[in-house]
Structure formats: C-alpha cells, structure tokens
C-alpha cells in the first residue's frame, strides 16, 4: 500500500508505537504523544513530515519535495505523490519523523506509550 493512499498512510502510522490519528487542518494528522510527526493532506494527497537538518537540505533539492508551508523553519518537508522518492523511501522518512518527534518527549511519556527509552 502506498503512504499517499489514506488506507496505506493509516496502516503505516498505526504500526508505530504511541501514535494517534486525527482529522485536522483538512488533513489526516498523525501524532505521537500529542505532537504531530506527519500528515496526509485531503485534497492534494501530499505528505508532510519532520526531517533532520541534513535530510532537509538533501530532500528539498529533489523534484516533488519542498519546504512544508508553515513548518519549514522547523525542518518539515512536503512530498508530492510523483516525487523522486518511492513509497518505501517515504515510509522510511515517516518512521524517522516519528523517532525524531518521540525523542523530544519525556522519558516517562515514552515509557507510557511503549516507546523504547
């Protein structure tokens, strides 16, 4: 399943520990510990997620990948379905985004959510 498909997106996100999904901002928003780590827009089927500073520079140089509006200064990107990244690569970046955001949670909350501390 493609992460750009709502069913595929939800299956991927729900496979990660401590996640929840909500409809917010005309998108399907995935959170870990109440903090957003990725979203799938309803209209364009774009995916946004947080990346490391190094990945931000690399990814934004690719066709179909850009700085995410409103999130760019915090190193978020938006990926179009026709980008240079294949579905497996997008899924891996979503997993990394989950790990980046989860790392910012308290040890206590990570333990409560079943995330290795």
């Amino acid at each position: 399943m493609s992460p750009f498909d709502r069913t595929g997106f939800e299956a991927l996100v729900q496979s990660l520990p401590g996640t929840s999904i909500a409809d917010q901002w005309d998108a399907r928003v995935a959170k870990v510990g109440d903090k957003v780590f990725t979203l799938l827009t309803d209209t364009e089927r774009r995916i946004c997620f947080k990346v490391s500073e190094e990945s931000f520079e690399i990814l934004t140089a690719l066709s179909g990948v850009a700085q995410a509006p409103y999130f760019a200064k915090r190193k978020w990107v938006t990926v179009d379905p026709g980008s240079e990244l294949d579905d497996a690569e997008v899924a891996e970046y979503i997993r990394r985004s989950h790990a980046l955001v989860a790392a910012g949670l308290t040890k206590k909350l990570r333990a409560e959510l079943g995330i290795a501390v």
Side-chain angles (χ1 to χ4, degrees), residues 18 32 56 84 98:
V32 58
F56 184 81
E84 290 183 54
H98 176 272

Side-chain angles (χ1 to χ4, degrees), residues 43-81:
T43 52
E44 299 104 0
R45 293 290 178 220
R46 291 184 177 149
I47 294 178
C48 299
F49 48 82
K50 184 173 182 61
V51 295
S52 67
E53 191 164 334
E54 181 179 283
S55 292
F56 184 81
E57 298 302 322
I58 294 167
L59 291 174
T60 55
L62 299 177
S63 173
V65 182
Q67 298 178 9
Y70 313 109
F71 291 104
K73 72 179 185 179
R74 292 194 173 94
K75 305 302 181 215
W76 280 70
V77 296
T78 183
V79 181
D80 295 330

Side-chain angles (χ1 to χ4, degrees), residues 22-44:
D23 289 315
Q24 193 174 345
W25 309 311
D26 295 322
R28 208 61 183 137
V29 179
K31 301 178 181 183
V32 58
D34 249 5
K35 297 200 180 280
V36 177
F37 70 93
T38 187
L39 59 91
L40 172 67
T41 63
D42 286 338
T43 52
E44 299 104 0

